[in-house]
Amino acid sequence: MSAPSTPSGAAATIGFDDFLKADIRVGTIVEAAPYPEARKPAIKLTIDFGGAIGLKKSSAQITRHYRPEDLPGRQVLAVVNFPPRQIGKFMSEVLTLGVPDADGEVVLIAPGLPVPDGGRMF
């Protein structure tokens, strides 16, 4: 696997087949709760990806720009085919995607218009 990109440069070039290995889907947040036990401030999310994928959980370090009560109903993009990862006492099943703002804080990635849950990014 190539090294991730850094603020100072891009990651190594990959082939299109490598890109297709990452299953990135859109889902709607149905529940959000504070996760004060996490080492870094985080919010526990339950995201509905519809169809065969269904509900998945994610721990996201998004507390700078988002409050749990404002997140249900919001669509987000997530990698759904990584293995689950233990985050403290919480099992995160998907990687919710974001990009850093000017201060390095996470801003969620979402479609610009409503789309059906479970749609794969291409």
Side-chain angles (χ1 to χ4, degrees):
M1 178 181 274
S2 300
S5 64
T6 64
S8 62
T13 301
I14 63 171
F16 189 69
D17 288 340
D18 291 322
F19 168 74
L20 291 177
K21 291 176 185 176
D23 191 357
I24 301 171
R25 305 279 179 143
V26 64
T28 299
I29 298 171
V30 295
E31 293 179 20
Y35 188 26
E37 303 88 4
R39 279 188 285 156
K40 293 183 180 179
I43 297 174
K44 295 188 285 188
L45 305 173
T46 301
I47 305 168
D48 186 358
F49 292 96
I53 299 171
L55 296 175
K56 297 291 182 180
K57 296 183 183 304
S58 182
S59 173
Q61 296 173 359
I62 56 173
T63 58
R64 174 78 178 266
H65 294 299
Y66 305 97
R67 299 181 316 165
E69 60 269 23
D70 297 331
L71 291 168
R74 180 184 200 98
Q75 288 194 300
V76 294
L77 290 173
V79 178
V80 299
N81 65 332
F82 282 157
R85 183 173 176 189
Q86 192 77 41
I87 310 290
K89 295 181 180 181
F90 183 77
M91 185 62 74
S92 189
E93 301 172 296
V94 299
L95 175 64
T96 305
L97 299 176
V99 294
D101 67 9
D103 296 323
E105 298 292 335
V106 178
V107 175
L108 293 170
I109 297 175
L113 298 171
V115 297
D117 288 333
R120 185 170 181 171
M121 188 180 86
F122 57 84

